[in-house]
């Protein structure tokens, strides 16, 4: 027959050592008093994306177009600097404008402008 061992309660020093090892090995919970399953549920909820795949793809295309500068944006007038663009045709001489009008009347436009 096997001998039974007598169990002894750990000393205070042993208990302090066990608690210190437990704290070192166990990560601290982000919210005090929350059960581990609550943290799992919070992580799952944060990872959930309610947008369907087609809408997500359309949103990605929209973001790409915005990054490339392919979108029209409404800007307030005070955000526009009128001196930023070179306006080479705004200072035409009246004689040059008359010459251009006569040339167009006689020959027509060789390279008509197209709206973009």
């Amino acid at each position: 027959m096997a001998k039974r061992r007598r169990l002894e309660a750990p000393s205070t020093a042993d208990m302090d050592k066990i608690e210190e090892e437990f704290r070192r090995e166990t990560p601290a919970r982000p919210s005090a008093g929350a059960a581990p399953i609550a943290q799992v549920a919070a992580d799952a909820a944060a990872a959930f994306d309610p947008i369907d795949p087609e809408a997500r793809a359309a949103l990605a295309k929209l973001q790409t177009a915005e990054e490339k500068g392919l979108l029209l944006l409404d800007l307030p007038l005070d955000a526009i600097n009128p001196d930023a663009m070179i306006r080479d045709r705004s200072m035409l001489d009246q004689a040059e404008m008359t010459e251009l009008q006569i040339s167009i009347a006689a020959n027509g436009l060789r390279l008509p402008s197209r709206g973009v």
Side-chain angles (χ1 to χ4, degrees):
M1 185 154 48
K3 276 188 162 182
R4 292 188 180 190
R5 285 193 286 167
R6 186 166 198 194
L7 298 177
E8 295 180 15
S11 67
T12 307
D14 291 338
M15 286 301 293
D16 290 340
K17 182 180 175 186
I18 291 170
E19 285 182 19
E20 181 183 327
E21 288 177 6
F22 178 76
R23 284 191 190 104
R24 189 175 54 241
E25 294 173 358
T26 306
R29 286 191 238 165
S31 58
I37 190 65
Q39 184 61 42
V40 171
D43 292 343
F48 178 68
D49 190 1
I51 300 175
D52 64 290
E54 290 177 8
R56 189 177 302 115
L59 183 60
K61 286 181 183 179
L62 183 65
Q63 288 172 343
T64 302
E66 185 176 11
E67 290 169 1
K68 290 181 177 181
L70 301 176
L71 295 180
L72 295 177
L73 303 173
D74 288 330
L75 295 176
L77 291 178
D78 59 347
I80 299 172
N81 182 2
D83 299 325
M85 291 182 62
I86 300 172
R87 308 222 181 258
D88 60 340
R89 298 188 187 266
S90 62
M91 303 298 287
L92 281 178
D93 183 35
Q94 186 59 39
E96 291 176 350
M97 181 60 78
T98 305
E99 181 183 344
L100 178 63
Q101 290 171 340
I102 293 171
S103 173
I104 290 173
N107 304 316
L109 286 175
R110 292 188 180 144
L111 290 172
S113 61
R114 296 186 329 178
V116 177

